[in-house]
Amino acid sequence: MEPVLEVDRMPIEIDPAAFKTVLGRFASGVTVITAIDEGEPVGFACQSFASLSIEPPLVSFFPARTSSSWPRIRRAGRFTVNILADHQDQVCRQLGRPGADKFAGVDWTPSVNGSPLLTGALATIDCELHEEVDGGDHTVVIARVTGLNEHSEATPLLFYRAGFGRLAHQ
């Protein structure tokens, strides 16, 4: 193995608008993270979700530090990742907005861990909080998977260039 060379690096200024534009070229799936806090459903839309490890089974996601929902989900300690189907863009918009009653009119049933399982989701992943790490203006959440289920063969809802997209079948 070759040694890693350290290179003097000058601080680089990155324009925030350019950063968002360039990274917006990366398509991602869309999830909603849900839990029950003090007897009420709580959740937020999240496109920054990824599989992290098979052994142990871990996933990760990155809520904004400004999120009012994440502290409530953290307090619950267990939650469900709902992977959205392409017809659920309105559910995503509703659960992605700030406000009190995000779940008004949203169909859900309790998952095995008691968190909201959104009707129509492609799949759900039940989790417990494992670790949090500083991620700048976001928090890096690492969660241990405690259960998972597939619910539909529909196509996924995608997020691309600040909007929703769908897979084009060839």
Side-chain angles (χ1 to χ4, degrees):
M1 180 185 287
E2 301 222 2
V4 177
L5 298 176
E6 288 195 31
V7 177
D8 277 339
R9 295 185 189 239
M10 296 179 66
I12 298 171
E13 292 277 330
I14 302 293
D15 175 56
F19 186 81
K20 288 174 94 173
T21 299
V22 170
L23 293 178
R25 300 283 184 174
F26 180 72
S28 64
V30 182
T31 68
V32 170
I33 313 295
T34 60
I36 297 292
D37 178 53
E38 297 181 351
E40 295 180 354
V42 60
F44 66 93
C46 178
Q47 88 271 3
S48 58
F49 168 80
S51 169
L52 182 61
S53 170
I54 294 174
E55 189 54 46
L58 301 172
V59 295
S60 62
F61 58 93
F62 317 105
R65 291 215 181 269
T66 57
S67 172
S68 59
S69 299
W70 172 241
R72 295 182 66 197
I73 295 170
R74 177 195 301 119
R75 184 170 54 222
R78 61 182 183 213
F79 43 86
T80 296
V81 177
N82 293 267
I83 301 172
L84 299 187
D86 66 359
H87 66 275
Q88 292 184 292
D89 53 317
Q90 198 54 42
V91 170
C92 181
R93 281 186 185 89
Q94 183 168 332
L95 290 167
R97 71 173 195 243
D101 197 7
K102 294 190 207 182
F103 280 82
V106 174
D107 263 352
W108 64 275
T109 57
S111 71
V112 172
N113 77 11
S115 300
L117 186 157
L118 302 180
T119 303
L122 292 179
T124 51
I125 306 164
D126 285 334
C127 301
E128 292 178 349
L129 180 59
H130 180 70
E131 184 177 356
E132 285 184 80
V133 179
D134 177 52
D137 58 6
H138 284 66
T139 298
V140 178
V141 175
I142 300 171
R144 178 177 280 281
V145 175
T146 60
L148 32 82
N149 288 289
E150 291 181 89
H151 304 289
S152 171
E153 290 295 324
T155 57
L157 182 61
L158 300 178
F159 192 76
Y160 179 70
R161 296 183 75 183
F164 295 113
R166 289 163 178 76
L167 287 177
H169 293 283
Q170 307 250 334

